[in-house]
Amino acid sequence: MNQPGFLDVISFGPGGWGAALLAGAWMTVLIAISGFLIGSIIGTFGAWAKISGGRTIRAIADGYTTVLRGIPDLLVIYLFYFGGSAAVTAIGRFFGSEGFIGFPGFLAGALAVGITSGAQQTEVFRGAFKAVHRGEIEAAVACGMSRALRFRRIIAPLTLRHALPGMGNVWQVVLKESALVSITGVAELLRQAQVGAGSTGMPFNFYVVAGAIYLTISTFSGALLQWSERYFSRGVRRN
């Protein structure tokens, strides 16, 4: 019996893996977006803590970024997945349930990616806020703007404008980190490629296709982020 060809394996017909790979790509995007949004929320509060918080809050934020940027991302995913499973199992036993209760792999992966990217986005937002010229804030105060209005009309838009390039870099890292979530059994792109490679004995073909899909997602999202940078930089004089 002849081994299936490259196009046969990635096709959408009987015996093809095209649908499974596309489903895995969609799961990869969902994990990356979820982790990135969680990281953005954490990064916003982390940057605020480093800029405006008291000594204790700043120390907590500094400790958070130092620890999360200093340990491997894969270890964080392990801690969330196995630690979460142990916690859920303990809670289940407290309420009379027996046996092991697994923590959802998608949730563990999204939280882990979000926590790690949050440390990076904390520094991105902090640097972006520091880049806002003090004169613009002082002008808003002189115009009689309230603190909430200054934040909405001046600080937030300018901070976002300065943060977008750094956020684009963080997004690319998050997209690649999503492949690590495959260790939890989530059927994302790399996991589907691993299963397909093991089932057909054609690992090179599957990993080449997975790489091409990752590159496509990265290129498309990168172009979208570059468009966002240009959009939020309208009217800004460039030297």
Side-chain angles (χ1 to χ4, degrees):
M1 182 177 181
N2 295 328
Q3 189 180 39
F6 178 79
L7 295 179
D8 295 328
V9 171
I10 64 172
S11 68
F12 291 86
W17 287 80
L21 290 172
L22 283 184
W26 174 243
M27 181 62 67
T28 291
V29 172
L30 287 180
I31 294 172
I33 292 176
S34 300
F36 186 78
L37 291 178
I38 293 172
S40 297
I41 296 172
I42 296 174
T44 300
F45 284 103
W48 169 82
K50 288 197 170 192
I51 295 170
S52 305
R55 180 178 300 178
T56 302
I57 296 178
R58 286 200 304 270
I60 293 174
D62 288 336
Y64 160 69
T65 55
T66 299
V67 171
L68 268 298
R69 294 170 70 188
I71 62 177
D73 299 334
L74 183 60
L75 177 59
V76 178
I77 296 175
Y78 274 130
L79 291 174
F80 267 89
Y81 182 62
F82 293 110
S85 297
V88 172
T89 300
I91 294 174
R93 289 176 179 173
F94 178 80
F95 288 100
S97 177
E98 297 182 358
F100 176 80
I101 303 177
F103 195 72
F106 178 90
L107 182 58
L111 288 175
V113 172
I115 291 292
T116 55
S117 71
Q120 300 170 359
Q121 294 192 60
T122 293
E123 298 301 331
V124 170
F125 288 136
R126 184 182 68 84
F129 178 80
K130 292 290 186 180
V132 176
H133 197 279
R134 296 298 96 186
E136 295 176 281
I137 299 177
E138 292 170 359
V141 175
C143 291
M145 289 187 180
S146 64
R147 178 176 296 182
L149 186 59
R150 290 200 305 270
F151 178 81
R152 182 169 63 87
R153 298 292 298 274
I154 305 297
I155 298 175
L158 291 176
T159 300
L160 180 60
R161 177 190 298 169
H162 291 300
L164 275 173
M167 291 176 67
N169 292 332
V170 174
W171 164 255
Q172 299 295 344
V173 173
V174 167
L175 184 61
K176 290 186 288 186
E177 284 180 351
S178 65
L180 300 176
V181 182
S182 62
I183 64 170
T184 66
V186 175
E188 48 77 61
L189 179 56
L190 183 59
R191 178 63 178 173
Q192 294 286 30
Q194 291 171 336
V195 173
S199 299
T200 62
M202 302 174 65
F204 180 79
N205 294 344
F206 276 92
Y207 293 136
V208 166
V209 172
I213 295 175
Y214 275 116
L215 183 59
T216 301
I217 297 173
S218 176
T219 301
F220 177 79
S221 57
L224 182 61
L225 287 167
Q226 289 179 355
W227 174 85
S228 299
E229 290 182 39
R230 292 193 298 269
Y231 178 83
F232 283 99
S233 297
R234 292 175 302 169
V236 177
R237 179 180 298 175
R238 298 181 182 274
N239 296 327

